[in-house]
Amino acid sequence: METATINLLPKQTEAWDIFEDPDVLELGYGGGAGGGKTRLGCYIGIAIAEAYPGSRGVIARKELKTLRLTTLAELFIVFNELGYSENDYTYNAQDSIIHFANGSDILLLDTAYSPQDPEYTRFGSLNLTWAWVEESNESPEKGLQILKTRVGRHNKIANQEVKPFWLETFNPNKGHVYRNYYKPWKEKNMPEYRRFVRALPGDNPHLPAVYIENLKRADNTTKQRLLYGNFDYDADPSRVMSYEAIVDLRTNTLGPSTEKYLINDIARFGGDKIVLGEFDGLTLVGLTVDTYQDTDTTKDKIKKQAQESQIPYSNILSDEDGVGGGVIDGLRGTKGFMGGSSPIDILDTFTGRFVPANFVNLRSQCYFTLGEYVNHHKMAINLRYFKSNIEGYTQEKALADMEEELDAVKSQDSTGQRTKLSIIPKVLIKEVIGRSPDFSDIMMMRMLFVLKLSPPVYYYPPVEVSGSDKMPGR
């Protein structure tokens, strides 16, 4: 077909210039609704497909159905505007592939977390030239990491080396898009190979006035995110810990403590991490992060760390669910944590007796207690050591993962039939972040010792006694 002309918005033009920069391999674009995210992705995908016959790209979103109803529908509109006919491309709905007349392909994929495929092996055989993840703030980070490893495996086309390219378009979110794009952009320490372009509704003069007015009339959370593109705003009422308090963990300073603890989240040969966290009081001072390790090796590492740091076995706690029980059996005197067990009773000051706590289980009780301690700056992280058998896995990455996991901890609705306080199941957290929340779990389990040493107390509020109810002489 003949060369077509496209009219770009100023922010899209800025992004296009970055796309054409040979040294930039990754681009994040977004920040608000109506900033031209989807159009930009469509234009870039078509440009690569047409410029490099035989190229192979991906358009991905968390759910394939949503991708088809939104992004694909917009892509077809763009095809029509550019003068494409049925001879220029075909769409195979069954296989979710767009095939161009010049031999290029665009695949449509979902990035949703699946318990049957936690390592995203479904991406393993892909050889890609480029990829675009639409609304990437919705996608688990692990899925994006695996997909990104497939980009650049099909980049020698007609004896020409083609630049691998990775595009993410998104709205404000406190997860990986905040950490990978917005925060480095804001702090001016973005890696050389990555760029971020912030686009807001006001950057698009073609938006209908009623669209902007509807955003202005929306609730404050929607307005802050989609109208103002505020990445720092977060008013989710289900959040257990504020993001600012989570970040403050690294700079909080607590008084010295003579009590040492070793808290362990155990896995065996699966993809979940094995995390050993050493605490001085309520300060996390050491992390050991391993993977694909048998329980005997894990047990030996716990023993060695306890000896080096002089931690009594009675202050060692391991997750007893799954393979953790075998570690506990081999370390007599250490304690086990059963998240699904009953919560610790609380002291009723009216009767002077201990009564059941209003939590679904011990895990929920410990996470709500953790939220209280984090929000009131009663915990800290000041690592003296970091160890890992995972190649390339750094202390900074571990702490960033911990922050993301703590931020993903949410309460469940306790109205209706559910009257006890509860935290969302681990499987839902896995779906959001794409991995097991092993770091947040050791912080949560540390609270068991807090609850054991100082059982929670229920105080009855004072009762107001008015005129006629007062006793004579009072």
Side-chain angles (χ1 to χ4, degrees):
M1 61 172 293
E2 296 181 359
T3 301
T5 300
I6 57 175
N7 295 315
L8 298 175
L9 301 172
K11 290 289 186 176
Q12 291 174 330
T13 300
E14 181 182 345
W16 195 274
D17 291 340
I18 293 171
F19 160 59
E20 293 184 331
D21 186 333
D23 297 322
V24 179
L25 307 179
E26 300 177 11
L27 171 62
Y29 184 92
K37 300 185 296 292
T38 304
R39 278 279 167 147
L40 176 70
C42 290
Y43 288 147
I44 288 179
I46 293 172
I48 297 175
E50 292 290 5
Y52 305 105
S55 63
R56 193 170 176 83
V58 153
I59 301 176
R61 190 165 177 169
K62 181 180 179 182
E63 295 179 354
L64 186 58
K65 180 180 179 181
T66 306
L67 190 155
R68 287 172 170 162
L69 291 174
T70 57
T71 313
L72 182 62
E74 184 70 13
L75 181 62
F76 288 153
I77 293 174
V78 173
F79 277 146
N80 185 59
E81 291 176 354
L82 295 178
Y84 275 73
S85 70
E86 60 183 14
N87 297 321
D88 298 313
Y89 75 95
T90 57
Y91 170 55
N92 185 324
Q94 183 173 348
D95 294 332
S96 299
I97 296 178
I98 299 169
H99 182 73
F100 288 75
N102 68 356
S104 293
D105 288 327
I106 297 179
L107 287 64
L108 308 180
L109 298 178
D110 76 276
T111 59
Y113 172 82
S114 169
Q116 289 74 39
D117 184 25
E119 298 301 309
Y120 288 86
T121 55
R122 63 185 185 271
F123 295 162
S125 59
L126 296 175
N127 295 319
L128 304 174
T129 312
W130 60 276
W132 164 33
V133 184
E134 172 81 311
E135 301 294 350
S136 66
N137 51 291
E138 301 172 352
S139 292
E141 185 175 20
K142 184 165 187 177
L144 304 191
Q145 289 173 341
I146 300 298
L147 183 60
K148 191 183 293 186
T149 66
R150 312 312 301 174
V151 175
R153 298 179 64 88
H154 182 66
N155 287 68
K156 193 166 186 178
I157 301 172
N159 295 321
Q160 180 182 0
E161 199 71 32
V162 180
K163 180 184 81 168
F165 193 68
W166 175 266
L167 173 66
E168 293 184 46
T169 52
F170 45 80
N171 288 321
N173 180 273
K174 274 290 181 63
H176 52 84
V177 297
Y178 181 93
R179 186 175 65 252
N180 294 334
Y181 292 98
Y182 178 75
K183 187 178 179 183
W185 171 80
K186 183 179 179 181
E187 297 177 353
K188 295 181 172 55
N189 59 3
M190 187 78 76
E192 288 298 318
Y193 59 85
R194 182 183 295 159
R195 293 289 186 275
F196 170 60
V197 175
R198 190 181 189 191
L200 303 175
D203 297 316
N204 186 353
H206 305 300
L207 284 179
V210 67
Y211 184 87
I212 301 294
E213 288 303 313
N214 285 337
L215 285 176
K216 290 180 179 179
R217 287 194 292 265
D219 62 89
N220 193 45
T221 299
T222 300
K223 193 187 310 180
Q224 290 289 335
R225 290 182 64 249
L226 302 185
L227 179 61
Y228 303 130
N230 190 346
F231 281 79
D232 294 306
Y233 183 83
D234 197 347
D236 186 347
S238 67
R239 186 174 304 283
V240 176
M241 289 159 270
S242 78
Y243 187 76
E244 289 75 15
I246 293 171
V247 173
D248 283 343
L249 284 168
R250 300 203 202 188
T251 54
N252 290 343
T253 302
L254 305 183
S257 173
T258 57
E259 289 293 326
K260 297 182 178 181
Y261 302 87
L262 190 59
I263 314 295
N264 314 301
D265 191 77
I266 310 296
R268 199 186 323 210
F269 291 112
D272 291 352
K273 296 181 180 66
I274 303 156
V275 179
L276 280 56
E278 181 180 338
F279 290 81
D280 280 0
L282 290 168
T283 300
L284 179 66
V285 297
L287 269 179
T288 302
V289 186
D290 296 319
T291 191
Y292 297 104
Q293 178 174 280
D294 62 73
T295 53
D296 285 339
T297 302
T298 300
K299 181 176 61 178
D300 290 341
K301 289 188 176 183
I302 292 173
K303 290 174 63 176
K304 182 179 179 181
Q305 193 60 56
Q307 292 168 355
E308 290 179 357
S309 299
Q310 297 181 322
I311 301 173
Y313 272 28
S314 58
N315 282 4
I316 297 176
L317 178 68
S318 301
D319 184 3
E320 201 168 351
D321 294 329
V323 299
V327 172
I328 296 165
D329 291 340
L331 294 170
R332 295 301 175 90
T334 67
K335 293 180 170 63
F337 183 90
M338 295 289 290
S341 61
S342 299
I344 294 172
D345 290 345
I346 63 174
L347 178 63
D348 186 327
T349 58
F350 185 75
T351 64
R353 299 176 180 177
F354 284 94
V355 297
N358 191 40
F359 298 96
V360 168
N361 51 33
L362 181 61
R363 172 179 175 268
S364 293
Q365 185 181 27
C366 286
Y367 259 124
F368 277 107
T369 304
L370 175 65
E372 179 183 341
Y373 272 68
V374 170
N375 289 334
H376 289 87
H377 301 93
K378 295 179 180 179
M379 294 193 76
I381 298 173
N382 184 13
L383 295 186
R384 293 198 292 262
Y385 68 83
F386 176 80
K387 309 172 187 176
S388 181
N389 70 357
I390 306 173
E391 185 177 356
Y393 195 73
T394 64
Q395 174 177 314
E396 178 58 34
K397 174 60 175 168
L399 293 180
D401 285 349
M402 179 184 291
E403 290 173 353
E404 184 178 28
E405 291 171 17
L406 291 171
D407 193 51
V409 176
K410 306 288 180 66
S411 63
Q412 290 200 113
D413 185 4
S414 60
T415 60
Q417 293 183 340
R418 184 188 298 278
T419 58
K420 293 186 177 182
L421 298 173
S422 65
I423 296 296
I424 60 173
K426 181 180 286 191
V427 66
L428 293 184
I429 297 178
K430 282 185 175 183
E431 184 177 336
V432 171
I433 63 176
R435 64 177 184 278
S436 177
D438 306 308
F439 295 108
S440 66
D441 277 354
I442 66 163
M443 300 289 279
M444 174 270 296
M445 288 191 289
R446 172 65 184 87
M447 294 297 100
L448 182 64
F449 290 103
V450 171
L451 294 170
K452 288 283 190 180
L453 289 172
S454 303
V457 178
Y458 179 77
Y459 294 97
Y460 282 81
V463 178
E464 292 285 341
V465 182
S466 59
S468 60
D469 294 328
K470 292 182 178 181
M471 295 180 65
R474 294 291 177 94

